[in-house]
Amino acid sequence: MYRTKYCAEFSEADVGTRAKVCGWVQKQRDLGTLIFIDLRDRTGMVQLAFDSDTDKQIFDDAFGVRAEYVLSASGIVRSRGEGAVNPNMATGEVEIEVNCLKVLGESETPPFEILPDTAAKEDLRLKYRYLDLRRANLQKNILMRHK
């Protein structure tokens, strides 16, 4: 099986279960002994967590990950904890403690950030339309047109 659920489908009910997800890296945060990666697919985002209990090779791979890399990760869904809950994310109460990470595709630095409200000019976004279509609001428009 390639994935157990899409990124935005995880909730508190999944805590303690094994999960496999795939998607693009939205952001990687390195806090020394902790690394967090926000993984994005067509449904939304989920946070991947790497800490001192993570295998050294997997931790090093996570350290080298940059925006727009394509990853496949598996691990155990866990609750984030009292002060770490993110109310701005659909999956803000949970994260995946990764024990297997595979980089499916590396990426150069994109010409603009893949954000819903990007500051990039329209001519640049049209030149790199394949990147622009990864933005959530454009995907929403495509799905609405499809329906």
Side-chain angles (χ1 to χ4, degrees):
M1 186 176 284
Y2 201 41
R3 65 169 53 102
T4 54
K5 286 185 175 185
Y6 286 103
C7 290
E9 295 176 346
F10 290 98
S11 66
E12 282 285 332
D14 298 310
V15 171
T17 61
R18 188 149 197 54
K20 185 169 185 180
V21 292
C22 302
W24 293 281
V25 174
Q26 180 71 34
K27 180 179 5 177
Q28 184 250 39
R29 294 181 307 283
D30 178 16
L31 305 175
T33 59
L34 293 171
I35 295 176
F36 296 107
I37 294 175
D38 290 339
L39 193 69
R40 177 189 83 239
D41 66 9
R42 67 185 183 96
T43 62
M45 283 193 288
V46 69
Q47 180 170 283
L48 307 178
F50 305 84
D51 54 23
S52 58
D53 295 336
T54 306
D55 182 70
K56 174 103 170 92
Q57 181 61 43
I58 295 171
F59 192 86
D60 291 343
D61 289 346
F63 180 77
V65 166
R66 299 292 172 252
E68 297 308 307
Y69 274 35
V70 181
L71 300 181
S72 173
S74 63
I76 305 296
V77 179
R78 68 180 182 193
S79 186
R80 279 200 190 183
E82 191 67 30
V85 172
N86 185 350
N88 299 327
M89 285 177 64
T91 59
E93 297 177 344
V94 296
E95 63 189 10
I96 299 176
E97 181 182 0
V98 178
N99 55 27
C100 182
L101 179 72
K102 185 174 182 182
V103 177
L104 300 176
E106 294 182 2
S107 173
E108 295 178 7
T109 303
F112 58 90
E113 282 189 278
I114 313 296
L115 297 172
D117 297 320
T118 185
K121 294 185 179 183
E122 187 175 8
D123 60 338
L124 181 65
R125 289 192 351 250
L126 289 173
K127 181 178 179 181
Y128 297 99
R129 186 72 173 158
Y130 63 97
L131 294 174
D132 196 35
L133 290 173
R134 293 181 189 175
R135 295 186 318 133
N137 51 351
L138 291 178
Q139 288 181 357
K140 180 181 165 188
N141 292 345
I142 291 170
L143 285 173
M144 183 176 65
R145 197 175 288 165
H146 168 73
K147 288 179 183 178

